[in-house]
Amino acid sequence: DQALPFTLNDVAPGAVDLLAPANGAGTTLQPQLEWSTPASQGTTDFLVEIATDPGFANIVYSETVSGPASTVVSAPLQSSTEYYWRVTPSNACGTAATSDTFSFITQPAPGDCTIGSTEIIHFFDDIESGDNGWTHSASVGPDTWVRQISEANSPLTAWQSDDVAVISDQRLVSPSIALPGSANLLTLQYYAQRGLEDGGAGCFDGGILEYSSDAGQSWTQVEAARLQTNPYTGPIDGRFENPLIGSDAWCGDQGWTRTVVDLAGLEGLNIQFRYRLGTDSSVAADSWRIDDVSVQSCGLEEIFSDGFESADISRTNVTE
């Protein structure tokens, strides 16, 4: 004889209460959702739904959980977004009433403006309409920087510099950008793609990012601590005459990736940025591509000065 599992349900389950995250709380991009066990035993399934609106017209996540009264959202949600969730218990006898609806707000990603604030764009170039004040040159070796249309983040054109098999120091310089005198979460953001010769623990060929506040008379490399995403890969190898020897750089292969650079402390300056690709004396690879460059900050969403969002600010005093 063999024992077989057997569950007898003689009544539909009761409703559940949502427990965590607390209503309106902030949470991660893959939160753990928890709810109470129904008062009536015998629940076999919980339908968990997440939507971008309280009416659940746009459900972005749906999962049926069997057993424990909790689940971890399996795919990352969007950052800095308010979501709504609910749970519906069921068993073989029927479906219970759906729980009350709770909301949660996902954490901001680096460079995101939080809910209640909006992006303020101080500079943007999608590289689609000419050089727009960008310049390029090489202090040694060939200058291969060019606007090309074979690979781009969006929609068609990006800057590209080739990883050549000779010593080179190839430089792409942005136009001067006037940074605001005061700003909240001031960042440089851009997308990059690369296929540059790595060196195991470091880089044989590699790219770095610099900035200047004196019209290009002097340059400072963007420190690793300013990189909120996409950190440097490692130092440039010192054995093969790369002009960037010892500098922390990006190398290896990477698809289009957003880089967010913290510009705190540079407010009020006129800044230029310089992308430098350094190559050594041998072995070519692919290239380094830059697209969709912006400088932005975050500000409060504007409402009318009286605090009401309606444009009709007339008031009538009524006395009963």
Side-chain angles (χ1 to χ4, degrees), residues 187-258:
T187 58
L188 165 71
Q189 302 189 27
Y190 64 91
Y191 284 82
Q193 180 198 61
R194 67 177 188 262
L196 304 176
E197 184 192 12
D198 64 32
C203 304
F204 288 130
D205 302 334
I208 69 171
L209 175 62
E210 300 171 313
Y211 64 91
S212 172
S213 60
D214 56 9
Q217 297 301 305
S218 61
W219 294 89
T220 301
Q221 182 174 357
V222 167
E223 309 96 307
R226 288 189 179 273
L227 298 176
Q228 296 184 347
T229 65
N230 197 23
Y232 291 123
T233 310
I236 296 287
D237 191 282
R239 293 174 290 175
F240 303 103
E241 302 179 82
N242 187 316
L244 301 181
I245 283 174
S247 299
D248 282 334
W250 290 288
C251 62
D253 297 322
Q254 185 181 65
W256 286 106
T257 300
R258 185 177 72 148

Side-chain angles (χ1 to χ4, degrees), residues 119-270:
E119 291 181 355
I120 302 173
I121 303 298
H122 307 286
F123 171 85
F124 178 73
D125 191 358
D126 60 5
I127 325 298
E128 298 299 315
S129 303
D131 290 356
N132 289 335
W134 292 82
T135 60
H136 52 90
S137 62
S139 64
V140 60
D143 170 23
T144 64
W145 282 108
V146 65
R147 293 174 57 250
Q148 52 74 42
I149 59 173
S150 62
E151 289 283 350
N153 182 62
S154 70
L156 185 64
T157 308
W159 284 107
Q160 174 179 306
S161 184
D162 294 335
D163 186 347
V164 294
V166 296
I167 298 170
S168 73
D169 185 350
Q170 308 177 56
R171 304 166 176 193
L172 175 68
V173 180
S174 78
S176 181
I177 302 168
L179 302 186
S182 62
N184 182 41
L185 299 177
L186 183 64
T187 58
L188 165 71
Q189 302 189 27
Y190 64 91
Y191 284 82
Q193 180 198 61
R194 67 177 188 262
L196 304 176
E197 184 192 12
D198 64 32
C203 304
F204 288 130
D205 302 334
I208 69 171
L209 175 62
E210 300 171 313
Y211 64 91
S212 172
S213 60
D214 56 9
Q217 297 301 305
S218 61
W219 294 89
T220 301
Q221 182 174 357
V222 167
E223 309 96 307
R226 288 189 179 273
L227 298 176
Q228 296 184 347
T229 65
N230 197 23
Y232 291 123
T233 310
I236 296 287
D237 191 282
R239 293 174 290 175
F240 303 103
E241 302 179 82
N242 187 316
L244 301 181
I245 283 174
S247 299
D248 282 334
W250 290 288
C251 62
D253 297 322
Q254 185 181 65
W256 286 106
T257 300
R258 185 177 72 148
T259 302
V260 179
V261 181
D262 182 6
L263 299 182
L266 302 180
E267 295 88 348
L269 300 177
N270 292 322

Side-chain angles (χ1 to χ4, degrees), residues 292-314:
D292 295 330
V293 181
S294 69
V295 173
Q296 61 190 63
S297 61
C298 299
L300 293 178
E301 294 181 349
E302 293 185 2
I303 60 175
F304 292 93
S305 59
D306 66 351
F308 293 90
E309 295 185 351
S310 171
D312 180 7
I313 60 173
S314 62

